[in-house]
Amino acid sequence: MNAFDIDDLLEQLVLEGRQHFSPHYMCQRLGISDIDGVADYLLSLANVKLIPYYEVECPEGDSDFIIPDPTKLEQEPRICRFCGTEYIPDPNRIWLAFDFTKSFIDHVKKKKERSCITIQSKKTPTHAVM
Amino acid sequence: MKLRDILSMEVPRSALKAVVSANNLKSGGNSVEDYANTILIHNKTKPLGLLLAEQYKYAGRTAANWFIPIPSFGDDWGDTKKAKEFLKNKYGEDLFNDGVKKPLTSEPQVFRAEQLADSLVMAFTYRGRERRVLENYRVVKRAPQLVDYVLIHFDPLTIETRTKTDNIKKFLNAVLKVMDKDPDAIKWEKVSKLTDAEALELANKLKAGLVGVKAKMTEGIYATKEVTANPNIKNLREEEEYNNEFSGKPLKKQTLTFSYRQRFGLTENIHFVITEDGLNFLSPVTEDVISFVRKHIQDIKNGHNKKDEELPEATGI
C-alpha cells in the first residue's frame, strides 16, 4: 500500500466529483486488496481531507443510521428503517465511508486551475525584447 | 406426532405428489392429506413415507448455521453413542421417547432428542414474545410456545442451529448447558459465515446460479443496490450487465438456486440465501440437502481439494 498513490487518487476523485466512497472503492481503483490498511490511512486524514461516516448496518446489510464514534454504539434493539428487521446493532457490522472536506475540494480545484494556467502560459509565446 | 400428521404438515405437497405419481398410485383427491393417506396405505410406499418424514420433519424452510466449539470437547461427545448415553444419564430415557416437559421460559430448553443417521437432533422449546391477541372478544396477552432444533454432528464436533439469527447466541448457550460446559470457556468458529470468495466457491461446487443479490455500493449516493434476475436468467454471474455493475462489490445477500435429485425420486430446484449471518433455505429442504451443503462448506473451509466424485454431484440448473 503506497500512501502517495492514495493521495494522488484522492485528488483524482475530487476532480471526478466522486462522493461517499469506501476503502473498498479505493482498493478497487488502486488494484490492491489491503482494505484495512487503506481504511486506517484514510482515517488518519479525517477532518483534514476527509469526513468519515460510520454507518451501522442491519442484519440485511442496509445502512440504517450513522454514528459519530464507533466505540460508542448503543446496543439497544431497534428497527431498520428500510426492511423493518428488528435487531441489536453490532459493532462488527459498521460500514465506513468518506466524503471530502470542503477545504480539500477547494484546494484540489485551485491546484488544478493553477496547473492549467501554468501550462497555458508556457504554450503562449513571449514577446521578443526589442 | 403420528406419521400421517408429519406427512401432511411437514412434507411439501410436491414431494408427496412425486412419490404417489412415481409409484402409479391413485390418491382419493389432491390435498396433502389425500397424498399422505395414499402413501401410507400401500405397503410399497410406506417405507417412502417414513423416509419423507425423516427427511422433512426437522428441516423444511429453515436457517442453518454451523459452529465448531473451541476448544473442542471430545470425551462425552465423540460420537452419537457417547452423546446419547450422556443425555440419557442426564435427562432419562424420556428424552428420546415422549419428551421431557419442564416449565416454559424464554430460554430454550431441550425437551426431545432423536438420532438422525450419524447425527443427533435436539428439539428446544421456549416462550416467544408476548403479544396482545383477541380471545373470546377480549384482549389478552399470550406468549406462544415455540420450537427450534439443534443438530450435533460428530467428527469434527459441529453444532448446527436451525433458528433465526437473533436466537443463535441463546441456543448455543442452551446447548452448552445441556452438555454441562461453561459458556465462558468456549468460543465458537462460525463455519457458515462465508466470505464473498467462499460463497462463490460454494456456488461453483453446487453448480448454483446467482439469481438475486444485494450489493454494497462503494461510492456514490446509494448505500446498497438489490437486484433479482428475470426468470430467463439462470445465473447473473454469466451476464455482462451484472458484472459491469456489481463485479468487485461486497455482497450482503446472495440468492442462489441449484438442482438436486432427492432419494425419493424428485428432482427440484433448491433456493437459498447466503448473508453475513449464514444460510437460509427459502424452499422446503430435506436433511440430505442441508447435509450436502454443509459438507461442501466444510470442504471449502478446510481447503481440501476433494474431488467432486467424493461428494454427491450437483446436477446443475
Side-chain angles (χ1 to χ4, degrees):
Chain A
M1 187 199 82
N2 186 321
F4 298 128
D5 289 340
I6 298 177
D7 289 336
D8 289 345
L9 179 56
L10 286 173
E11 293 193 5
Q12 178 63 27
L13 295 185
V14 168
L15 297 173
E16 288 175 11
R18 300 288 180 186
Q19 56 174 321
H20 214 75
F21 56 93
S22 68
H24 288 82
Y25 181 73
M26 295 291 290
C27 285
Q28 212 170 3
R29 289 286 298 255
L30 291 165
I32 61 176
S33 58
D34 184 9
I35 292 177
D36 288 342
V38 168
D40 286 341
Y41 182 70
L42 295 178
L43 283 168
S44 73
L45 303 175
N47 304 320
V48 176
K49 293 184 181 180
L50 301 174
I51 305 166
Y53 298 99
Y54 301 97
E55 299 173 4
V56 180
E57 292 182 342
C58 82
E60 296 292 309
D62 295 308
S63 286
D64 191 13
F65 63 103
I66 288 176
I67 49 171
D69 182 347
T71 62
K72 292 178 183 164
L73 177 61
E74 275 185 20
Q75 292 178 262
E76 293 293 325
R78 55 184 299 138
I79 294 175
C80 175
R81 64 191 167 116
F82 296 109
C83 63
T85 301
E86 191 173 328
Y87 72 104
I88 295 174
D90 180 351
N92 295 317
R93 300 281 293 264
I94 295 180
W95 179 262
L96 180 59
F98 296 89
D99 273 330
F100 294 110
T101 59
K102 187 173 181 314
S103 52
F104 182 62
I105 294 173
D106 290 343
H107 166 79
V108 170
K109 285 184 176 173
K110 279 182 189 157
K111 185 175 160 184
K112 175 75 179 168
E113 278 172 19
R114 280 199 298 272
S115 73
C116 286
I117 290 168
T118 305
I119 291 167
Q120 222 165 359
S121 63
K122 281 183 180 165
K123 282 183 181 168
T124 307
T126 52
H127 292 291
V129 174
M130 304 293 269
Chain B
M1 206 192 283
K2 287 183 181 167
L3 180 56
R4 195 181 309 274
D5 292 332
I6 295 174
L7 291 185
S8 57
M9 290 170 68
E10 308 291 350
V11 179
R13 171 196 292 272
S14 54
L16 294 167
K17 196 173 168 186
V19 168
V20 167
S21 304
N23 290 276
N24 298 314
L25 301 176
K26 284 196 181 347
S27 63
N30 56 9
S31 69
V32 287
E33 289 81 11
D34 293 326
Y35 291 134
N37 282 337
T38 306
I39 288 169
L40 291 177
I41 60 176
H42 290 88
N43 285 336
K44 68 170 176 172
T45 49
K46 194 165 179 184
L48 285 171
L50 287 165
L51 175 65
L52 286 174
E54 184 191 270
Q55 285 289 311
Y56 283 103
K57 67 178 171 176
Y58 301 121
R61 299 182 69 222
T62 180
N65 278 291
W66 297 282
F67 300 87
I68 292 179
I70 297 168
S72 186
F73 31 90
D75 307 331
D76 294 318
W77 300 93
D79 55 38
T80 46
K81 190 177 168 195
K82 286 180 186 169
K84 276 176 83 171
E85 203 177 305
F86 180 96
L87 289 171
K88 281 180 185 174
N89 285 340
K90 185 170 178 178
Y91 294 99
E93 293 277 348
D94 277 348
L95 186 70
F96 289 87
N97 297 315
D98 294 331
V100 171
K101 297 177 178 76
K102 289 185 178 176
L104 289 174
T105 69
S106 59
E107 294 305 308
Q109 297 185 77
V110 66
F111 72 98
R112 268 201 84 238
E114 184 178 333
Q115 183 171 349
L116 273 187
D118 49 5
S119 303
L120 264 188
V121 63
M122 293 197 288
F124 284 81
T125 188
Y126 57 107
R127 284 245 178 256
R129 186 180 297 175
E130 213 171 46
R131 292 176 198 279
R132 280 201 294 271
V133 296
L134 270 183
E135 253 183 35
N136 290 326
Y137 302 97
R138 286 172 55 230
V139 175
V140 296
K141 282 187 186 174
R142 291 283 179 260
Q145 181 179 358
L146 303 174
V147 63
D148 282 324
Y149 305 106
V150 169
L151 273 74
I152 305 182
H153 305 286
F154 303 92
D155 195 28
L157 181 65
T158 307
I159 309 299
E160 178 179 328
T161 59
R162 292 191 185 170
T163 185
K164 57 181 185 171
T165 308
D166 288 351
N167 281 344
I168 286 176
K169 191 174 175 185
K170 241 179 7 178
F171 268 74
L172 289 175
N173 284 342
V175 167
L176 289 178
K177 197 173 166 185
V178 164
M179 294 172 159
D180 289 342
K181 300 294 178 191
D182 176 11
D184 292 331
I186 304 291
K187 298 222 178 306
W188 297 101
E189 181 197 338
K190 191 172 183 179
V191 178
S192 42
K193 186 174 169 71
L194 303 175
T195 61
D196 284 352
E198 287 168 341
L200 175 60
E201 195 177 344
L202 179 64
N204 289 336
K205 282 181 180 289
L206 297 175
K207 296 188 179 66
L210 182 70
V211 293
V213 83
K214 178 187 245 175
K216 203 75 183 181
M217 291 292 110
T218 55
E219 184 274 330
I221 61 169
Y222 300 113
T224 59
K225 272 189 188 173
E226 187 164 9
V227 294
T228 52
N230 75 45
N232 291 330
I233 302 296
K234 302 302 177 196
N235 189 356
L236 286 168
R237 290 193 168 107
E238 291 171 359
E239 303 297 324
E240 193 181 336
E241 191 176 331
Y242 168 81
N243 288 317
N244 285 345
E245 186 157 12
F246 293 102
S247 178
K249 300 278 190 304
L251 301 180
K252 292 292 170 182
K253 188 161 82 172
Q254 302 177 53
T255 305
L256 295 138
T257 298
F258 67 96
S259 182
Y260 188 88
R261 181 170 171 78
Q262 303 283 7
R263 272 194 267 167
F264 45 86
L266 176 67
T267 297
E268 56 180 344
N269 286 331
I270 307 295
H271 311 291
F272 71 108
V273 173
I274 299 176
T275 67
E276 288 177 344
D277 289 326
L279 266 70
N280 208 352
F281 289 97
L282 300 179
S283 47
V285 292
T286 55
E287 292 297 337
D288 283 349
V289 168
I290 298 177
S291 189
F292 176 63
V293 174
R294 173 175 62 85
K295 283 173 184 167
H296 276 298
I297 290 177
Q298 279 178 327
D299 193 25
I300 291 166
K301 291 290 190 178
N302 292 338
H304 289 160
N305 287 317
K306 269 188 177 177
K307 290 180 187 161
D308 283 346
E309 55 262 25
E310 287 183 26
L311 286 164
E313 270 279 323
T315 54
I317 299 173

